[in-house]
Amino acid sequence: MTDRQIVRMRHEGARRRTLTVTEKRQLTPGMLSIRFSCHDWDGFASAGADDHLKIFVPGAPSEGGKPAMRDYTPRAFDVEKGEMSIDFALHDNPGPVTALAVSLTVGDTVEIGGPRGSVVIPDSYDWYWLIGDETAIPSITRRLNEWPGQKIDAYIAVTGSGEELSLAKGESHCIHWTHRPTSASANPAALVSLIEAQTLPEGDGYVWIAAEAAVTKALREAVLAKSHPQTQLKASGYWTWGLSDQTEKFG
Ligand SMILES: Cc1cc2nc3c(=O)[nH]c(=O)nc-3n(C[C@H](O)[C@H](O)[C@H](O)COP(=O)(O)OP(=O)(O)OC[C@H]3O[C@@H](n4cnc5c(N)ncnc54)[C@H](O)[C@@H]3O)c2cc1C
């Protein structure tokens, strides 16, 4: 029998580090990619494609007694070169971290913390579905880069064809885009109807979902309605419409 154990790791070396901006690149009008240099990698580990860092905002008012910070995916990193890239989905109601990302210029520094842990999904499933909105694109990109040979279908909602990126890295990668306006980014309809129209592939698969919380919840239900096992699904609300710094885990 194939070993399909999900591995959970704690990273004891997780701590704050300083990154320096080396390049800012607009991948699309709505997706800003920032490359940072870092020369302090001691104890750094990121084993899961959906790991997250905390990005701290210097000088921002504290929130609930804690420094202002938000979760972002280390989309790519290279310890040898001392580089890390983080991609920021720009949106209409920017909070402290989106505002910080837009304001950064080459040479500026930011503080990050983590990742404090990783959840590593085995690469031995027959197929994978990766479903999400703009905030899921960095993790989906990392997963496609890491697994060029796996059978992966990604279902992604963006605001229009100008936001579509060239993500596939292998012949068995298929990217399915759907469009909805920013004002409907908490409306599950576009992604749910895309998922409802699909048939689960043959064999044993794993489904990963990350989007606005209400969208994630509806997508999780749509996938489970296809009799996909709950143990082979991870669904996270990466943000919540109308609320700052709000994430949710649906299991
Ligand atoms: C594990 C994890 C990994 C993540 N990785 C990434 C990543 O790599 N790149 C990325 O861009 N995001 C990522 N996110 C999502 C990101 O943390 C949130 O979108 C965050 O709220 C943005 O912070 P902010 O300072 O702009 O806004 P906040 O102060 O948190 O919110 C301000 C307002 O903006 C709204 N809002 C927040 N995000 C969005 C959005 N995307 N679209 C529309 N409205 C929004 C909120 O509802 C609120 O009304 C990740 C989240 C998690 C939990």
Side-chain angles (χ1 to χ4, degrees):
M1 201 178 117
T2 316
D3 180 16
R4 292 200 174 126
Q5 193 73 31
I6 290 180
V7 178
R8 291 170 202 278
M9 303 173 179
R10 294 290 300 167
H11 302 314
E12 301 305 335
R15 57 182 168 77
R16 285 214 194 189
R17 288 163 220 276
T18 303
L19 306 182
T20 305
V21 177
T22 56
E23 187 186 34
K24 276 182 90 174
R25 210 155 47 98
Q26 210 60 56
L27 301 180
T28 64
M31 186 66 82
L32 171 65
S33 182
I34 304 189
R35 191 161 65 192
F36 300 90
S37 66
C38 176
H39 300 291
D40 174 21
W41 292 92
D42 196 28
F44 179 88
S46 174
D50 64 350
D51 286 354
H52 67 275
L53 305 158
K54 295 283 182 196
I55 299 183
F56 297 92
V57 186
S62 75
E63 296 177 335
K66 291 192 290 184
M69 57 184 152
R70 299 287 183 272
D71 294 343
Y72 280 80
T73 309
R75 195 256 300 151
F77 62 94
D78 184 327
V79 175
E80 296 296 312
K81 286 189 186 162
E83 283 180 359
M84 180 183 293
S85 293
I86 301 175
D87 296 346
F88 298 83
L90 306 181
H91 58 91
D92 294 343
N93 195 7
V97 169
T98 301
L100 173 72
V102 170
S103 74
L104 288 171
T105 58
V106 171
D108 287 347
T109 58
V110 293
E111 292 243 306
I112 59 155
R116 289 170 66 180
S118 300
V119 177
V120 182
I121 297 165
D123 62 2
S124 53
Y125 279 103
D126 302 313
W127 57 266
Y128 298 83
W129 277 7
L130 310 177
I131 312 172
D133 66 11
E134 294 87 346
T135 60
I137 291 177
S139 175
I140 292 174
T141 305
R142 180 167 161 181
R143 182 107 45 205
L144 293 164
N145 287 341
E146 289 177 359
W147 289 352
Q150 270 73 2
K151 177 172 166 43
I152 303 178
D153 285 277
Y155 300 93
I156 309 173
V158 292
T159 54
S161 55
E163 291 299 324
E164 295 180 7
L165 288 157
S166 175
L167 298 180
K169 287 290 175 297
E171 282 177 10
S172 47
H173 290 175
C174 191
I175 319 296
H176 314 255
W177 299 95
T178 184
H179 301 155
R180 43 78 178 120
T182 324
S183 57
S185 51
N187 181 339
L191 271 170
V192 166
S193 56
L194 184 59
I195 293 304
E196 282 176 348
Q198 312 300 319
T199 306
L200 292 179
E202 289 286 310
D204 244 359
Y206 195 92
V207 178
W208 179 90
I209 306 168
E212 192 282 331
V215 176
T216 297
K217 195 160 177 268
L219 283 166
R220 181 179 181 275
E221 282 160 18
V223 170
L224 293 177
K226 294 181 182 292
S227 302
H228 180 76
Q230 200 170 321
T231 49
Q232 290 162 214
L233 179 149
K234 183 175 177 190
S236 312
Y238 267 18
W239 62 282
T240 303
W241 181 262
L243 297 175
S244 281
D245 193 20
Q246 200 67 38
T247 63
E248 272 192 69
K249 286 185 183 156
F250 297 100

